Amino acid sequence: MVKKVAIIGAGISGLASIRSCLEEGLEPTCFEKGEDIGGLWKFSDHAEEGRASIYRSVFTNSSKEMTCFPDFPFPDDFPNFMHNSKLQEYITAFAKEKNLLRYIQLKTLVSSVSKRPDFSVTGQWDVTTEKDDKKESAVFDAVMICSGHHVYPNLPKESFPGLQLFKGKCLHSWDYKEPGIFKGKRVLVIGLGNSGCDIASELSHTAEQVIVSSRSGSWVMSRVWHGGYPWDMMFITRFETFLKNNLPTVISDWWYVKQMNARFKHENYGLMPLNGTLRKEPVFNDELPARILCGTVTVKPNVKEFTETSAIFEDGTVFEAIDCVIFATGYSYAYPFLDDSIIKSRDNEVTLFKGIFPPPLEKPTMAVIGLVQSLGAVIPTTDLQSRWAVQVIKGTCTLPSVKDMMNDIDEKMGKKLKWFGKSDTIQTDYIVYMDELASFIGAKPNIPWLFLTDPKLALEVYFGPCSSYQFRLVGPGKWPGARNAILTQWDRILKPTTTRIVGSPLKPCLFCSWFRPVLISVLSIAAFLVLF
């Protein structure tokens, strides 16, 4: 019998999961609470409880060649970094091209997911949904949770003494939509993540004064990298990852800090992270340093306490007559339709094998898609996650024992503590993670073999950007157009920017991009050995 799969959420993760089910002959039914597909990227001019929310001016932080579904490139003339409306246009086009819309039930809330009485034998789930005030229940052979992790705002009021006394307006970045209502206001933004930096930069054009408060600082990267190319096309490469993970720690850390400080010295702007060698996800903002230079944004340390009208910072300085405080303090993830013990199986922590499967389940028929965060783009990650998850659900791939899965989780937590400063973070090393998932389904590119059989492609795969097409070169779901897409990816990057022809468009030299760091690394190792 064909297995029936319930998919919760019709955002990027949900669409990837529907397509993966169809590729493997499963029968998906996707339930979406909203009125349209797109999830996070479907802009609404008001925040809706239980749904992700973005502000009108949001652009992507990943370039189009690194962002796309691996067998569905963006049109040549699409900009490299897209406004949310442009990405939504692409998502809709993908869903139509792959004929996914027929499997989606819109305006349908999943209110309950629970094990069937015979779960230990069948692995089946009872799924209860609500639509137009009517409840329905159905039995599914598997469940894929694709509801994202930007739904429930984290508002840590208890961390800010005196906040209850503050008479101004308080809101979370989840509620923020556009700058108009803040014209002439004095605004404090708490948090130095992507949302906090975006909102502070945008408000600095209309507000009277904007101050950003940060507890630990952050690296701020530009979307424009060396040579004017998109940052991720130059930064996320297999060779770069090899160097980072194999050089002596002292050299790897030094090189990382040097890269982060290449555009400007963060210590001069009050942005320097407390521990600069940690690989915490940097902020992507092309405007913030200029706004700080112009005096329209000021960076301050953490807030010590609030009064009725002001904020006192840990350095003793005070921001007076505040009109509004915007908390850009991230999100917590929750699954109100599900028993917490399934996802948080140990010490109230999210405990998932490879960030996808709950280890204690007697049958591996539940998968969480999209609950990871890395420098890489979300679409390729969820595509590969769902491909492996569906293989496990189908029975083509098997999971290790519960003990081995928990040991793997513990090992990964130790590495996360070293790289990111937190063991319970959902951050991960993009290429390492993608290769690991790809190896489970036979979709990982064999680099040595490529150098022997197709050196032109091998050079681009290893030294060039690790674009999503690499994971459809071989294995289940192999795309015949993957090789050509990789070899022509720079043409699509240059197309939307070369609108005034002043010579031949210049593609980057792959060897030039890595020769300098290798030379510096070799010289550094030599110096290290001589001195010590």
Side-chain angles (χ1 to χ4, degrees), residues 313-525:
F313 301 103
E314 290 181 346
D315 62 359
T317 57
V318 181
F319 185 24
E320 302 275 6
I322 302 173
D323 293 298
C324 182
V325 178
I326 300 176
F327 289 89
T329 44
Y331 295 84
S332 57
Y333 25 90
Y335 306 101
F337 49 81
L338 189 67
D339 186 337
D340 262 359
S341 64
I342 294 176
I343 303 293
K344 299 179 179 180
S345 59
R346 184 177 64 182
D347 301 330
N348 204 36
E349 293 178 341
V350 172
T351 313
L352 299 171
F353 180 59
K354 306 305 179 186
I356 301 173
F357 288 103
L361 290 180
E362 303 96 314
K363 297 288 183 179
T365 57
M366 173 170 283
V368 180
I369 307 299
L371 192 61
V372 294
Q373 199 164 309
S374 72
L375 276 181
V378 173
I379 290 179
T381 305
T382 57
D383 180 76
L384 202 46
Q385 283 186 319
S386 61
R387 288 164 67 192
W388 177 49
V390 166
Q391 296 274 9
V392 172
I393 291 169
K394 187 180 177 181
T396 309
C397 294
T398 56
L399 297 180
S401 67
V402 173
K403 180 182 178 181
D404 287 344
M405 286 192 281
M406 295 305 294
N407 288 340
D408 181 84
I409 290 170
D410 289 337
E411 181 186 343
K412 293 294 190 298
M413 290 178 75
K415 290 181 178 179
K416 287 180 177 183
L417 183 63
K418 174 187 175 183
W419 283 106
F420 308 117
K422 293 175 65 179
S423 62
D424 60 346
T425 180
I426 59 173
Q427 282 188 257
T428 189
D429 186 315
Y430 179 67
I431 294 179
V432 172
Y433 181 68
M434 294 289 279
D435 275 350
E436 194 170 30
L437 296 186
S439 66
F440 294 150
I441 61 173
K444 179 184 175 181
N446 186 329
I447 306 298
W449 180 248
L450 275 182
F451 271 107
L452 289 174
T453 59
D454 195 342
K456 181 180 180 181
L457 178 62
L459 287 171
E460 193 69 44
V461 167
Y462 191 67
F463 294 109
C466 186
S467 50
S468 61
Y469 314 119
Q470 294 191 14
F471 301 102
R472 290 271 179 174
L473 281 168
V474 296
K478 175 182 176 180
W479 180 44
R483 181 183 186 275
N484 183 64
I486 292 170
L487 296 178
T488 58
Q489 57 195 355
W490 286 106
D491 296 326
R492 290 186 297 279
I493 285 291
L494 294 170
K495 172 74 173 178
T497 58
T498 52
T499 52
R500 174 176 171 260
I501 306 301
V502 290
S504 300
L506 298 176
K507 301 176 185 178
C509 170
L510 296 180
F511 291 100
C512 297
S513 65
W514 64 260
F515 177 76
R516 184 166 173 260
V518 169
L519 178 62
I520 291 174
S521 300
V522 170
L523 292 175
S524 301
I525 293 172

Side-chain angles (χ1 to χ4, degrees), residues 179-231:
I181 62 173
F182 298 93
K183 185 175 182 179
K185 303 294 185 182
R186 295 168 62 82
V187 183
L188 172 62
V189 179
I190 295 180
L192 198 63
N194 283 306
S195 296
C197 289
D198 281 353
I199 292 170
S201 298
E202 184 169 70
L203 290 181
S204 69
H205 294 277
T206 56
E208 177 186 318
Q209 187 173 1
V210 178
I211 285 184
V212 178
S213 168
S214 175
R215 182 178 54 191
S216 57
S218 183
W219 294 118
V220 179
M221 290 177 65
S222 172
R223 293 177 177 88
V224 184
W225 203 243
H226 301 313
Y229 301 107
W231 74 271

Side-chain angles (χ1 to χ4, degrees), residues 29-56:
T29 302
C30 179
F31 303 106
E32 166 57 44
K33 180 181 179 181
E35 298 179 353
D36 200 354
I37 65 172
L40 175 70
W41 294 100
K42 177 60 179 176
F43 174 77
S44 172
D45 57 10
H46 62 281
E48 301 174 31
E49 187 177 353
R51 295 197 68 231
S53 175
I54 56 174
Y55 34 97
R56 189 179 298 277

